[in-house]
Amino acid sequence: MSDCIRLEHVHKSYGTFALQDISLGIKEGYITGLIGPNGAGKTTLIQMIMGMVRPDRGDVQLFGGQNKEQVPAVKERIGYVSDENIYYEQLTVKQMKKVIAPFYSRWNEDTYVKYQELFRLSPGKKIRDLSKGMKIKFSLAIALSHSADLLIMDEPTSGLDPVFRRELLDLLTEHIQDEKKSILFSTHNTTDLDRIADYIVFVNDGRIVFDEMKEALAEKYLLVKGGKELLDRDTRRLFLGIRESAHGFEGLMGNRAEGERYFKDTAICETPTLEEIMYFSVKGSELRV
Amino acid sequence: MNILISSTSGEPIYAQIVTQIRQLILQGELGAGTPLPSIRQLAKELQISVITTKRAYEELEREGLINSIVGKGSFVSGADQEFIKEQRLRILELKLKEVIEESRQLGLSYGELTEMLKLIYEEEQE
Amino acid sequence: MYNSFHLIRKDLIIVQKFILLLIPYYMVMGFTNFDNYTVFALLPAMLLLINTCTMDVQQNNQKFLVSLPVPRQQIVLAKYLAMLPYSVLSFACTVLLYFIAFSVGRTTEPLAWRELLLCIAGFPLLASFYLPLHYWLGRKGTQVVNMVFIMLIMLNFAAIKQLMEWFPGLAEWVSSGKADSLLLPVIAVLGYVLILFCSYLISLRVFTAKDI
């Protein structure tokens, strides 16, 4: 199994914020979700992959080649969907398409027309007048029409209604029916896209917390709910993050087997959701600072 | 082929798929040689991840219920019902051994264990 | 090269409306301000360039450009190459306007070709100062830079007059087409090309290292 994106020891700092020593491989043929709270560095990471932001140190490789961007061939295989509008707002949908199409040798006008109809994009409408959801649909139509091998989407669902979010899942799973196509998306809302994700990369505060197969997370993490009397100096150390209330505590452990050994009989042990993993990890790391 | 996934049941999704396909095969609804949807196809239909589906198929393959042929997909194995039943009985035996081990640790006698089994069995049947 | 062509086409599409605005502009200017070539030949070309540059940085459009399968070098190159169609457009409009004016009898003077060429040559020269600043300052500085350059365009006319006073040979060439020696023009042309080339290299350096 090969990687379509490789980051090696990438650093980038902006004043107070820094991405630190990011090494990461995105698997070809699968869907990878990049999750993390706002400001964790997800967008910077994606923009670095897209060649918009230059790393201070380290290497970004796309499809096995160095992205020194003498290789437009690499970009041609990427479809980029951003949560902010990157198109010329004063142009109409049709004009914008006319601008974009000639840059891609694999552009397929029929496919574009198909998606334009499916998404109900009116060609005469100005980009400026499109709703956020429509803008996302437009960039998706563009990406799918030049048959990108790799879809890179930055917070694609943030402006979408639940109905289209579901439709998007269909479009994306359809896209990877071809085992050579891959998807990387970022989101801070872990309840929609992650159901189809094969791999999850979790970033927090400029660092990678984990990069795992989603299936493996359930075997690694454990959510423990119990009375506060269970918490003492030693047991606290076992947790990645704890939330205490008047009536007990909830805590996340990173070693499921160990956790079950300690708490199986005295507390409730559950498989955490991604959101819970995210919440407790962020909470825990804030405490340690 | 009906497969229904519940995201609130607490049972891992791959296990739900395994249980349901296994049932379909053992009940004879999916006969020997029936092609199963490809891993990616099923993942799309169920809107779940490819790896989850792959894991379910691998599990079914291990149980001898399906065969996967590279480039062709997965098929319900030609194994006869007897063989499949034997396989499952072996799995059940292993699970029982675990139960016995656990009850020994808890100091339960054989009598107490069978009593417990009987009670739970009757409860489940209701 | 092929990509540069598509990029220039993109620029022309985004300034489509502005190009249409040039028609009333030329009509009004044709009546009011006929003997100043700067307003016919230089100002429209420079405004076209400034417009396309401003629109690229206005929203997140540079992100769009960088996401295209085009190296950044081509993006910069296309901006420099786009000067050619803008110059041709301005030149053609000016000549057309002159012939219209001549045929209706508004002017009887022959067209001063060489002065016009000199004036249009001022456009790439100005642009070669504008573009590096545009790439360097990006969205933040664009407005200020635009203002400054629009003022500089106005000075262009005066600058050409001044230039002719300093170099009588130039004035001679403009009025008669004769040049005493070849040395000075050759140096001037070489210097001109050098400035353009350096400007391109600076823009390229600035833009390729930049975070968009």
Side-chain angles (χ1 to χ4, degrees), chain C residues 166-183:
Chain C
W166 286 338
F167 300 101
L170 186 67
E172 169 83 14
W173 176 75
V174 165
S175 56
S176 67
K178 285 185 204 120
D180 295 342
S181 80
L182 270 174
L183 188 65

PDB file of all heavy atoms in Angstrom, chain C residues 166-183:
ATOM      1  N   TRP C 166      16.139  66.838 -21.594  1.00  0.00           N
ATOM      2  CA  TRP C 166      17.475  66.363 -21.210  1.00  0.00           C
ATOM      3  C   TRP C 166      18.221  65.775 -22.382  1.00  0.00           C
ATOM      4  O   TRP C 166      19.413  65.894 -22.515  1.00  0.00           O
ATOM      5  CB  TRP C 166      17.354  65.295 -20.101  1.00  0.00           C
ATOM      6  CG  TRP C 166      16.997  65.867 -18.762  1.00  0.00           C
ATOM      7  CD1 TRP C 166      17.190  67.144 -18.351  1.00  0.00           C
ATOM      8  CD2 TRP C 166      16.379  65.174 -17.684  1.00  0.00           C
ATOM      9  NE1 TRP C 166      16.739  67.297 -17.082  1.00  0.00           N
ATOM     10  CE2 TRP C 166      16.229  66.100 -16.628  1.00  0.00           C
ATOM     11  CE3 TRP C 166      15.944  63.869 -17.483  1.00  0.00           C
ATOM     12  CZ2 TRP C 166      15.660  65.777 -15.409  1.00  0.00           C
ATOM     13  CZ3 TRP C 166      15.386  63.548 -16.274  1.00  0.00           C
ATOM     14  CH2 TRP C 166      15.237  64.491 -15.249  1.00  0.00           C
ATOM     15  N   PHE C 167      17.505  65.069 -23.199  1.00  0.00           N
ATOM     16  CA  PHE C 167      18.166  64.454 -24.348  1.00  0.00           C
ATOM     17  C   PHE C 167      17.608  65.038 -25.637  1.00  0.00           C
ATOM     18  O   PHE C 167      16.604  64.552 -26.155  1.00  0.00           O
ATOM     19  CB  PHE C 167      17.936  62.938 -24.349  1.00  0.00           C
ATOM     20  CG  PHE C 167      18.462  62.254 -23.121  1.00  0.00           C
ATOM     21  CD1 PHE C 167      17.601  61.890 -22.090  1.00  0.00           C
ATOM     22  CD2 PHE C 167      19.833  61.979 -22.989  1.00  0.00           C
ATOM     23  CE1 PHE C 167      18.096  61.258 -20.955  1.00  0.00           C
ATOM     24  CE2 PHE C 167      20.314  61.350 -21.864  1.00  0.00           C
ATOM     25  CZ  PHE C 167      19.450  60.990 -20.831  1.00  0.00           C
ATOM     26  N   PRO C 168      18.265  66.083 -26.141  1.00  0.00           N
ATOM     27  CA  PRO C 168      17.758  66.710 -27.368  1.00  0.00           C
ATOM     28  C   PRO C 168      17.699  65.713 -28.521  1.00  0.00           C
ATOM     29  O   PRO C 168      16.842  65.810 -29.397  1.00  0.00           O
ATOM     30  CB  PRO C 168      18.784  67.805 -27.651  1.00  0.00           C
ATOM     31  CG  PRO C 168      19.550  67.984 -26.384  1.00  0.00           C
ATOM     32  CD  PRO C 168      19.479  66.708 -25.636  1.00  0.00           C
ATOM     33  N   GLY C 169      18.583  64.741 -28.477  1.00  0.00           N
ATOM     34  CA  GLY C 169      18.591  63.713 -29.521  1.00  0.00           C
ATOM     35  C   GLY C 169      17.262  62.988 -29.594  1.00  0.00           C
ATOM     36  O   GLY C 169      16.769  62.627 -30.653  1.00  0.00           O
ATOM     37  N   LEU C 170      16.695  62.781 -28.419  1.00  0.00           N
ATOM     38  CA  LEU C 170      15.417  62.083 -28.339  1.00  0.00           C
ATOM     39  C   LEU C 170      14.318  62.917 -28.968  1.00  0.00           C
ATOM     40  O   LEU C 170      13.505  62.424 -29.758  1.00  0.00           O
ATOM     41  CB  LEU C 170      15.091  61.775 -26.872  1.00  0.00           C
ATOM     42  CG  LEU C 170      13.860  60.914 -26.611  1.00  0.00           C
ATOM     43  CD1 LEU C 170      14.060  59.494 -27.123  1.00  0.00           C
ATOM     44  CD2 LEU C 170      13.534  60.893 -25.125  1.00  0.00           C
ATOM     45  N   ALA C 171      14.326  64.218 -28.644  1.00  0.00           N
ATOM     46  CA  ALA C 171      13.319  65.123 -29.201  1.00  0.00           C
ATOM     47  C   ALA C 171      13.443  65.163 -30.719  1.00  0.00           C
ATOM     48  O   ALA C 171      12.456  65.167 -31.442  1.00  0.00           O
ATOM     49  CB  ALA C 171      13.509  66.526 -28.609  1.00  0.00           C
ATOM     50  N   GLU C 172      14.686  65.168 -31.157  1.00  0.00           N
ATOM     51  CA  GLU C 172      14.972  65.163 -32.588  1.00  0.00           C
ATOM     52  C   GLU C 172      14.389  63.924 -33.259  1.00  0.00           C
ATOM     53  O   GLU C 172      13.721  63.986 -34.286  1.00  0.00           O
ATOM     54  CB  GLU C 172      16.509  65.205 -32.752  1.00  0.00           C
ATOM     55  CG  GLU C 172      17.035  64.943 -34.134  1.00  0.00           C
ATOM     56  CD  GLU C 172      16.998  66.208 -34.996  1.00  0.00           C
ATOM     57  OE1 GLU C 172      16.816  67.287 -34.406  1.00  0.00           O
ATOM     58  OE2 GLU C 172      17.152  66.080 -36.225  1.00  0.00           O
ATOM     59  N   TRP C 173      14.608  62.758 -32.575  1.00  0.00           N
ATOM     60  CA  TRP C 173      14.116  61.488 -33.122  1.00  0.00           C
ATOM     61  C   TRP C 173      12.587  61.490 -33.170  1.00  0.00           C
ATOM     62  O   TRP C 173      11.966  61.077 -34.150  1.00  0.00           O
ATOM     63  CB  TRP C 173      14.613  60.323 -32.254  1.00  0.00           C
ATOM     64  CG  TRP C 173      14.071  58.990 -32.693  1.00  0.00           C
ATOM     65  CD1 TRP C 173      14.472  58.276 -33.776  1.00  0.00           C
ATOM     66  CD2 TRP C 173      13.033  58.240 -32.070  1.00  0.00           C
ATOM     67  NE1 TRP C 173      13.743  57.120 -33.875  1.00  0.00           N
ATOM     68  CE2 TRP C 173      12.861  57.073 -32.840  1.00  0.00           C
ATOM     69  CE3 TRP C 173      12.238  58.449 -30.933  1.00  0.00           C
ATOM     70  CZ2 TRP C 173      11.911  56.100 -32.505  1.00  0.00           C
ATOM     71  CZ3 TRP C 173      11.311  57.484 -30.593  1.00  0.00           C
ATOM     72  CH2 TRP C 173      11.141  56.324 -31.389  1.00  0.00           C
ATOM     73  N   VAL C 174      11.974  62.005 -32.098  1.00  0.00           N
ATOM     74  CA  VAL C 174      10.518  62.023 -32.035  1.00  0.00           C
ATOM     75  C   VAL C 174       9.951  62.888 -33.154  1.00  0.00           C
ATOM     76  O   VAL C 174       8.993  62.509 -33.829  1.00  0.00           O
ATOM     77  CB  VAL C 174      10.042  62.527 -30.655  1.00  0.00           C
ATOM     78  CG1 VAL C 174       8.559  62.906 -30.708  1.00  0.00           C
ATOM     79  CG2 VAL C 174      10.272  61.465 -29.586  1.00  0.00           C
ATOM     80  N   SER C 175      10.581  64.043 -33.413  1.00  0.00           N
ATOM     81  CA  SER C 175      10.000  64.940 -34.413  1.00  0.00           C
ATOM     82  C   SER C 175      10.366  64.551 -35.844  1.00  0.00           C
ATOM     83  O   SER C 175       9.563  64.687 -36.755  1.00  0.00           O
ATOM     84  CB  SER C 175      10.411  66.386 -34.119  1.00  0.00           C
ATOM     85  OG  SER C 175      11.815  66.456 -34.078  1.00  0.00           O
ATOM     86  N   SER C 176      11.597  64.014 -36.037  1.00  0.00           N
ATOM     87  CA  SER C 176      11.999  63.760 -37.415  1.00  0.00           C
ATOM     88  C   SER C 176      12.260  62.290 -37.730  1.00  0.00           C
ATOM     89  O   SER C 176      12.279  61.889 -38.888  1.00  0.00           O
ATOM     90  CB  SER C 176      13.276  64.548 -37.734  1.00  0.00           C
ATOM     91  OG  SER C 176      14.340  64.008 -36.950  1.00  0.00           O
ATOM     92  N   GLY C 177      12.464  61.481 -36.686  1.00  0.00           N
ATOM     93  CA  GLY C 177      12.777  60.079 -36.934  1.00  0.00           C
ATOM     94  C   GLY C 177      14.239  59.850 -37.230  1.00  0.00           C
ATOM     95  O   GLY C 177      14.642  58.746 -37.538  1.00  0.00           O
ATOM     96  N   LYS C 178      15.057  60.908 -37.141  1.00  0.00           N
ATOM     97  CA  LYS C 178      16.493  60.737 -37.407  1.00  0.00           C
ATOM     98  C   LYS C 178      17.263  60.699 -36.089  1.00  0.00           C
ATOM     99  O   LYS C 178      16.909  61.390 -35.136  1.00  0.00           O
ATOM    100  CB  LYS C 178      17.019  61.900 -38.260  1.00  0.00           C
ATOM    101  CG  LYS C 178      16.590  61.785 -39.697  1.00  0.00           C
ATOM    102  CD  LYS C 178      17.244  62.901 -40.514  1.00  0.00           C
ATOM    103  CE  LYS C 178      16.427  63.190 -41.762  1.00  0.00           C
ATOM    104  NZ  LYS C 178      15.962  64.578 -41.785  1.00  0.00           N
ATOM    105  N   ALA C 179      18.280  59.855 -36.046  1.00  0.00           N
ATOM    106  CA  ALA C 179      19.107  59.809 -34.852  1.00  0.00           C
ATOM    107  C   ALA C 179      20.549  60.050 -35.236  1.00  0.00           C
ATOM    108  O   ALA C 179      21.012  59.540 -36.254  1.00  0.00           O
ATOM    109  CB  ALA C 179      18.970  58.442 -34.176  1.00  0.00           C
ATOM    110  N   ASP C 180      21.260  60.892 -34.428  1.00  0.00           N
ATOM    111  CA  ASP C 180      22.650  61.228 -34.736  1.00  0.00           C
ATOM    112  C   ASP C 180      23.550  60.008 -34.611  1.00  0.00           C
ATOM    113  O   ASP C 180      24.289  59.657 -35.502  1.00  0.00           O
ATOM    114  CB  ASP C 180      23.166  62.303 -33.763  1.00  0.00           C
ATOM    115  CG  ASP C 180      22.410  63.592 -33.979  1.00  0.00           C
ATOM    116  OD1 ASP C 180      21.791  63.720 -35.059  1.00  0.00           O
ATOM    117  OD2 ASP C 180      22.427  64.443 -33.077  1.00  0.00           O
ATOM    118  N   SER C 181      23.475  59.390 -33.447  1.00  0.00           N
ATOM    119  CA  SER C 181      24.305  58.206 -33.254  1.00  0.00           C
ATOM    120  C   SER C 181      23.420  57.048 -32.823  1.00  0.00           C
ATOM    121  O   SER C 181      22.320  57.234 -32.342  1.00  0.00           O
ATOM    122  CB  SER C 181      25.354  58.475 -32.175  1.00  0.00           C
ATOM    123  OG  SER C 181      24.767  58.342 -30.904  1.00  0.00           O
ATOM    124  N   LEU C 182      23.938  55.857 -33.016  1.00  0.00           N
ATOM    125  CA  LEU C 182      23.165  54.686 -32.626  1.00  0.00           C
ATOM    126  C   LEU C 182      23.405  54.292 -31.177  1.00  0.00           C
ATOM    127  O   LEU C 182      22.653  53.540 -30.591  1.00  0.00           O
ATOM    128  CB  LEU C 182      23.526  53.512 -33.541  1.00  0.00           C
ATOM    129  CG  LEU C 182      22.660  53.402 -34.811  1.00  0.00           C
ATOM    130  CD1 LEU C 182      23.188  52.314 -35.708  1.00  0.00           C
ATOM    131  CD2 LEU C 182      21.207  53.153 -34.436  1.00  0.00           C
ATOM    132  N   LEU C 183      24.514  54.852 -30.613  1.00  0.00           N
ATOM    133  CA  LEU C 183      24.937  54.404 -29.294  1.00  0.00           C
ATOM    134  C   LEU C 183      23.871  54.641 -28.237  1.00  0.00           C
ATOM    135  O   LEU C 183      23.487  53.735 -27.507  1.00  0.00           O
ATOM    136  CB  LEU C 183      26.246  55.131 -28.922  1.00  0.00           C
ATOM    137  CG  LEU C 183      26.887  54.598 -27.641  1.00  0.00           C
ATOM    138  CD1 LEU C 183      27.338  53.144 -27.841  1.00  0.00           C
ATOM    139  CD2 LEU C 183      28.063  55.475 -27.213  1.00  0.00           C
TER     140      LEU C 183
END
